[in-house]
Amino acid sequence: MRTFAGMLHAVVAGVLVVAAGHGVAGAAPSGSAALDQLPWTVGPEGVQATGAALADGLTGTVVWSRNAHTPVPIASITKVMTAIVVIAGNDLERPVTVPNEAFAYCARHNGSTAGLAPGEVLTARQLLYGLMLPSGCDAAYAVAESFGPGQDAFIAKMNDTARLLGLAGTQFTDPSGLPNPTDDSTHSTPVDLVAMGVRAMSLPVFREIVAARDYFVPAGPGNREHRWETTNRLLREYPGTIGIKTGNTDAAGHCLLFETVRAGIPVIGVVLHSSPHSSVAAKEDAERLLNWAYDPIMRVLQPA
């Protein structure tokens, strides 16, 4: 079975490359583009997101998209880049003091928090869990202040990393994705977010963090106890999901960057502005894309 799954992945990956050459990356939502080279004869149905992309999780080759290169606000999906920059600092055991300013920052922009207290000290690794699971904007502010050092220097590192990754449609003005200074000043595109996700998931530490459904920090000399749960409903409810990150602001709506591995085949995707009010809508959009990708494969594997 393992050999067959490997062979199947090679076949599927080859088909994806052929599809990309036929322009599927820019396919219309109706499935009217040249999908005849794929085992999927039409595009996914019922996807509400105004922007979306689905890709092979190994190569990042996009097989279906909607408004692939249109920059839009991405809310807390921004925190994926924040984590990449912190991990690149290669100092995850660094003690980080939570600044008082983090709380005014969260309150000013109505940001989600990890429930951190002013002055408590946690390691950068612990704060990454607080950043990615409960989507703590207080954790984002704290690591940015430490690893910049300072907010401006850290944001510059985020943008430098985006340029190095070739994310031409991406700009960061805030480490959390909050509307700072404007609703759309931090923005990206579906194809850029898929590429960013592929890079992030190549980092073992990042993969471990975003695969966690919950995380516990015991009380210590410099910190209080914390219990964090993921905001990623897909991680709990869709088989094979291994991450990645939710997002939500008024301008961005509900968004989700996700990766799933089934039958040994990784698929990565993003849905942007699935709904102004419902995280369930983003999860269901992701499920529609994943079912579209996996159903033909699982039908082949089922008799085996």
Side-chain angles (χ1 to χ4, degrees), residues 52-283:
L54 192 72
D56 172 13
L58 289 180
T59 66
T61 302
V62 176
V63 297
W64 182 88
S65 66
R66 173 181 288 166
N67 295 322
H69 301 286
T70 302
V72 293
I74 58 172
S76 285
I77 293 177
T78 297
K79 292 174 175 130
V80 174
M81 182 60 82
T82 301
I84 290 173
V85 172
V86 171
I87 292 168
N90 198 30
D91 191 11
L92 294 183
E93 304 314 314
R94 176 191 298 188
V96 177
T97 301
V98 179
N100 290 334
E101 294 83 356
F103 305 94
Y105 162 79
C106 291
R108 185 163 59 249
H109 300 290
N110 195 28
S112 54
T113 79
L116 303 176
E120 72 174 317
V121 181
L122 297 98
T123 67
R125 185 188 303 271
Q126 290 170 326
L127 285 171
L128 287 182
Y129 281 94
L131 175 79
M132 300 304 293
L133 272 62
S135 200
C137 298
D138 46 0
Y141 191 96
V143 295
E145 199 66 22
S146 179
F147 280 79
Q151 302 298 305
D152 290 346
F154 189 85
I155 292 164
K157 290 180 179 180
M158 296 173 72
N159 285 310
D160 287 346
T161 304
R163 298 292 83 77
L164 287 172
L165 293 176
L167 310 183
T170 299
Q171 174 180 285
F172 299 104
T173 62
D174 182 86
S176 298
L178 293 171
N180 179 31
T182 66
D183 282 345
D184 58 359
S185 55
T186 288
H187 58 256
S188 188
T189 70
V191 293
D192 278 7
L193 291 178
V194 164
M196 185 173 74
V198 169
R199 171 56 184 154
M201 292 298 276
S202 74
L203 305 171
V205 170
F206 183 90
R207 289 175 69 90
E208 179 181 343
I209 291 169
V210 298
R213 296 182 178 185
D214 50 57
Y215 188 76
F216 175 65
V217 179
N223 67 278
R224 61 185 182 179
E225 177 183 295
H226 294 281
R227 294 181 183 271
W228 295 316
E229 294 186 358
T230 184
T231 58
N232 185 357
R233 302 170 66 104
L234 201 70
L235 193 63
R236 297 183 181 276
E237 300 177 21
Y238 193 88
T241 301
I242 57 174
I244 303 176
K245 187 70 189 75
T246 60
N248 173 41
T249 63
D250 289 345
H254 283 272
C255 309
L256 179 59
L257 178 64
F258 55 91
E259 183 170 353
T260 298
V261 180
R262 299 183 71 184
I265 300 170
V267 172
I268 191 166
V270 66
V271 291
L272 301 172
H273 212 305
S274 291
S275 164
H277 308 298
S278 172
S279 63
V280 175
K283 178 189 77 79

